[in-house]
Amino acid sequence: MLKFRIRHYSLRQRMSLLGAFLALVIALFLSLLLYEHTAYQEDHQISLGIREAEVQLLNLRRNEKDFMARLKPEYLQKFEVQSEAMAANLDVWFAALTKTGYQHHDMELLRKALLTYRLNFFEYVEYRKQLGVYRNEALNEKLNQLSQQLQAAIPERHQDAQALAMRLYSLHQMFLMDPEDDPVHEFERLATSLQAKLNASQNQQLRQYREVFQEAVRISSLAGYNENEGAHYLLRKAAHEMEAHFSVLSDAVAVYVEQRYQKRIFLIICCSVLLNTIDAKM
């Protein structure tokens, strides 16, 4: 069609028109190629940010639960490293999104939720450290020492008092392993009974033992006897809020990336139609 529309022009004019048309096609093709490459790189970085954040979020929750179940320092260290990596990854991911002009209110909410989750986790860990992660640490160790000192101070011939002291030891161990109200009440009841069987010096030791146990009860209450109480509950709540914000944001970003792809396809089609139109009119 092109040769019939420009045949009434001189050869030089035809060559100029063909050259201009060819230059337009090349310029348009290169522009589209550069645009597609840049947009693809941006979308790839955004999609990669989603996948990395998802994996890091799963690892965070796994390290949190592993620490609570096993109380081993290595899981705490893993959590610290993973949470810092996730915070850094969110900054990179959000920077890539902002560069494309995308904004979503859950971006800031997710960042705040991660910070709250980390603070609540470390608060829970601090309570666990005060209680004693292992048996030879903190309040756990102090309670064991005080119990042993009390038992040593009671003569063997006072078998009733010895039995009560040993029972108190079992109760404080039971409470530290599985915090509940029943061992606390039983501990106080037996301690009151034991008090009547001891002399002044022994009662001073018992009083100190009870005070430390009451402090352990207080710290355990702050930490939470179970996942629905205390710092444990706040941690679980923060984790669920963080997961909810991430779910909303990742879904919205996935839709945004797909829309950008569809727009690029539409632009390529429009450019093709434009070139065909120009070709048809020449």
Side-chain angles (χ1 to χ4, degrees), residues 133-247:
V133 177
Y134 298 114
R135 292 188 177 183
N136 59 344
E137 293 181 344
L139 289 176
N140 198 331
E141 179 184 19
K142 194 168 186 179
L143 281 170
N144 291 339
Q145 290 175 349
L146 290 172
S147 176
Q148 291 170 4
Q149 291 171 6
L150 177 61
Q151 292 179 53
I154 300 174
E156 292 184 2
R157 66 179 180 274
H158 296 165
Q159 295 183 0
D160 290 347
Q162 279 279 357
L164 286 173
M166 292 178 65
R167 179 59 180 157
L168 289 179
Y169 173 81
S170 299
L171 287 169
H172 94 240
Q173 286 289 336
M174 184 186 305
F175 175 80
L176 290 175
M177 292 178 62
D178 186 16
E180 291 182 351
D181 288 330
D182 289 345
V184 176
H185 298 326
E186 182 68 6
F187 184 97
E188 290 301 323
R189 187 184 69 81
L190 294 181
T192 301
S193 299
L194 177 61
Q195 183 177 352
K197 301 178 181 295
L198 304 178
N199 60 36
S201 175
Q202 294 165 347
N203 266 315
Q204 178 62 28
Q205 290 179 303
L206 175 61
R207 184 161 45 251
Q208 187 178 3
Y209 183 29
R210 293 176 74 173
E211 288 174 354
V212 174
F213 179 71
Q214 288 166 2
E215 177 65 8
V217 172
R218 186 185 71 85
I219 298 299
S220 295
S221 178
L222 291 174
Y225 285 3
N226 54 58
E227 64 180 12
N228 297 317
E229 298 178 359
H232 196 165
Y233 168 74
L234 294 177
L235 174 61
R236 189 166 64 93
K237 179 182 177 183
H240 291 167
E241 289 179 354
M242 178 178 62
E243 291 171 336
H245 289 309
F246 176 76
S247 178

Side-chain angles (χ1 to χ4, degrees), residues 56 75 80 86 92 94 106 130 134 149 176 238 240 257 265 279:
Q56 289 168 339
Y75 295 115
E80 292 174 343
M86 183 172 180
V92 174
F94 293 165
D106 275 282
Q130 291 180 41
Y134 298 114
Q149 291 171 6
L176 290 175
H240 291 167
V257 170
I265 296 298
D279 180 30

Side-chain angles (χ1 to χ4, degrees), residues 84-120:
E84 290 175 0
M86 183 172 180
N89 180 60
L90 288 183
D91 289 339
V92 174
W93 184 30
F94 293 165
L97 285 168
T98 303
K99 184 179 179 181
T100 66
Y102 182 80
Q103 290 292 333
H104 196 286
H105 67 280
D106 275 282
M107 292 167 65
E108 187 60 29
L109 291 177
L110 177 57
R111 185 182 277 115
K112 290 180 179 178
L114 174 60
L115 177 60
T116 301
Y117 173 65
R118 291 180 65 185
L119 291 175
N120 287 339

